[in-house]
Amino acid sequence: MHNTYHRVGHGPHAVIVLHGWFGDAHAFAPMEAALDGGAFSYVFMDNRGYGCMRGAQGEYSMDEVARDALALADGLGFATFSVVGHSMGGMVLEKLALLAPLRLRKLVAVAPVPSCGVAFDVAGRQLFLDASGSLQARRAIIDRSTGGRLPASWLDWKAQYSWESADQAAFAAYFLAWSGTDFSGEVQAMAPNLPLLALVGEHDPRFDAALMRRTYLAWYPQARLEVLANAGHYPMNETPLALVAGIEAFLSAP
């Protein structure tokens, strides 16, 4: 039995979309109406412990999410497919590039966590650890990651959405996974020759253009970078039309 998902479009180019730490399969809803369903088949997958997979047991690792995505692709009959990964989904995207490079067409990493993980100072790490059991900690992280510039009511909504969309145990375990996992040596050794687009928001203080240049652009020979104006860490909410335009222009290019 594969992971739960929902699908937008039935076009010939299959795309599996992997959500971030604060999301689930429906976290991309603001951009879905703009997707080209005639050209693409977008499949939005729930990680174990999230969305309709709440209560599903697992190790909650990046490797497990990648293998679940491959199993979903198999179940749907996708011999080849592209991948869009947001935040920790961007790290999963890199794991997929190692596991099944010949099945992947193109990779789109949106405000992604690189395969080297993320280093935190003591206070920052504690805030993220607290987030599994604290709605206010989640709100503070969302506010910080979007540049402290978005409406209070949206911050409240986004924090509540994540609270209701994920099991606390899974949420806590995924933080340890995406922050502490490091398989960047494998990525650099392999140098996956896959077209990759890194999309970051201009107001994202951590997953920014400088980080992309040190990681994705240095490790993937065909990687390129685009910075989304007026976006922070959640461009699917902040600038959904610009995000769709960037993704589909890249996926459609020869």
Side-chain angles (χ1 to χ4, degrees):
M1 186 69 180
H2 53 62
N3 290 43
T4 55
Y5 69 94
H6 76 280
R7 183 170 184 158
V8 176
H10 289 83
H13 189 153
V15 184
I16 291 181
V17 185
L18 303 170
H19 64 76
W21 192 41
F22 281 89
D24 66 355
H26 290 280
F28 301 87
M31 61 182 258
E32 289 182 11
L35 296 172
D36 184 351
F40 302 99
S41 293
Y42 289 96
V43 172
F44 298 83
M45 187 185 88
D46 283 312
N47 290 2
R48 298 189 196 197
Y50 280 73
C52 293
M53 294 292 288
R54 291 192 68 177
Q57 298 301 305
E59 59 188 41
Y60 310 125
S61 68
M62 300 297 97
D63 185 75
E64 181 179 73
V65 180
R67 293 184 186 279
D68 284 346
L70 285 174
L72 178 57
D74 291 341
L76 295 172
F78 296 160
T80 62
F81 55 95
S82 292
V83 185
V84 175
H86 173 245
S87 197
M88 73 174 179
M91 179 180 269
V92 176
L93 173 151
E94 291 196 78
K95 180 62 73 169
L96 280 166
L98 295 177
L99 292 174
L102 297 181
R103 295 186 64 181
L104 302 183
R105 298 178 62 173
K106 294 186 177 183
L107 308 175
V108 182
V110 181
V113 179
S115 55
C116 58
V118 179
F120 286 89
D121 60 25
V122 173
R125 181 175 175 79
Q126 190 59 55
L127 176 64
F128 277 68
L129 288 170
D130 290 345
S132 62
S134 167
L135 194 63
Q136 286 307 306
R138 296 192 193 203
R139 188 187 187 281
I141 292 167
I142 296 164
D143 189 25
R144 178 185 298 181
S145 66
T146 51
R149 46 182 257 290
L150 298 182
S153 59
W154 182 85
L155 299 173
D156 293 339
W157 171 82
K158 186 68 173 177
Q160 187 66 38
Y161 184 97
S162 75
W163 188 265
E164 295 173 359
S165 298
D167 295 331
Q168 288 189 21
F171 188 86
Y174 280 123
F175 168 65
L176 297 177
W178 65 254
S179 64
T181 297
D182 184 355
F183 55 93
S184 59
E186 297 175 63
V187 172
Q188 293 174 69
M190 182 179 176
N193 193 28
L194 292 164
L196 183 147
L197 173 64
L199 284 165
V200 297
E202 67 167 323
H203 298 292
D204 192 329
R206 183 182 293 271
F207 303 101
D208 58 5
L211 178 61
M212 298 303 106
R213 294 189 184 99
R214 294 196 304 271
T215 56
Y216 290 87
L217 270 66
W219 302 339
Y220 291 80
Q222 293 194 62
R224 63 185 182 85
L225 170 68
E226 290 184 12
V227 178
L228 294 169
N230 203 35
H233 194 63
Y234 300 96
M236 69 287 296
N237 295 109
E238 300 168 84
T239 57
L241 297 182
L243 179 60
V244 171
I247 290 171
E248 294 195 339
F250 175 71
L251 294 180
S252 298

